[in-house]
Amino acid sequence: MVTDVGQHQMWEAQYYHHNRPRTLITSGGLGTMGFALPAAIGAKFAKPDSEVWVVVGDGGFQMTMSELATIVQEKINIKIAIINNGFLGMVRQWQEFFYDKRYVATPLVAPDLPRSPTPSAFAASASPNALKCFPPSAPRVNRPKPC
């Protein structure tokens, strides 16, 4: 399991139970957004027989999504879970709690633009096995069942 930096890193640490030592690669807050995808590629080369998962936010994924081309070209078998909330979540959380909700530069799309880049579209272009998942509570309009 490889995590990027952000809220998803905290969620992985809280909710994923590791059965063996040294099965989590994370920067521990000392890295930057975009750490997870290249680190997972390295982890897969280091342990080619192990299943490698990336847990990354949509902001961090945008930092290194070009590495999907490397993954496809080198036929690297890693799984990527993108937590897509449309914001730089941890930065926004700090702005909410400590800066009186003065939000600056946290949405991943400008208000006057129709939408931000879609992580699932990039994933689908890299792999026919890409899935787009929704929480069970999400409205069931033109979408598959929850993963």
Side-chain angles (χ1 to χ4, degrees):
M1 187 72 66
V2 183
T3 65
D4 211 67
V5 175
Q7 288 175 323
H8 57 280
Q9 178 186 33
M10 304 299 112
W11 297 331
E12 191 284 339
Q14 289 176 336
Y15 298 112
Y16 186 81
H17 179 71
H18 293 268
N19 295 319
R20 292 172 291 147
R22 295 184 300 278
T23 56
L24 172 61
I25 297 175
T26 184
S27 66
L30 299 174
T32 65
M33 291 169 46
F35 168 84
L37 199 53
I41 292 169
K44 188 63 178 180
F45 277 108
K47 297 198 61 126
D49 295 330
S50 295
E51 184 174 67
V52 175
W53 273 88
V54 176
V55 179
V56 63
D58 47 341
F61 178 73
Q62 287 186 24
M63 301 290 178
T64 55
M65 64 188 168
S66 60
E67 292 301 335
L68 287 177
T70 302
I71 292 167
V72 171
Q73 176 182 322
E74 300 300 324
K75 298 178 177 74
I76 303 168
N77 184 13
I78 61 174
K79 313 312 190 253
I80 305 169
I82 303 168
I83 309 302
N84 185 1
N85 64 358
F87 291 95
L88 303 179
M90 186 161 287
V91 176
R92 185 175 174 83
Q93 181 178 327
W94 278 68
Q95 290 172 346
E96 182 176 335
F97 292 152
F98 303 114
Y99 295 96
D100 198 29
K101 298 184 180 181
R102 289 189 301 270
Y103 301 122
V104 176
T106 55
L108 294 178
V109 64
D112 57 338
L113 296 176
R115 67 181 200 275
S116 65
T118 307
S120 58
F122 284 102
S125 72
S127 171
N129 299 321
L131 297 173
K132 185 175 182 179
C133 301
F134 298 86
S137 60
R140 294 185 177 273
V141 178
N142 298 325
R143 68 171 178 84
K145 293 180 182 177
C147 294

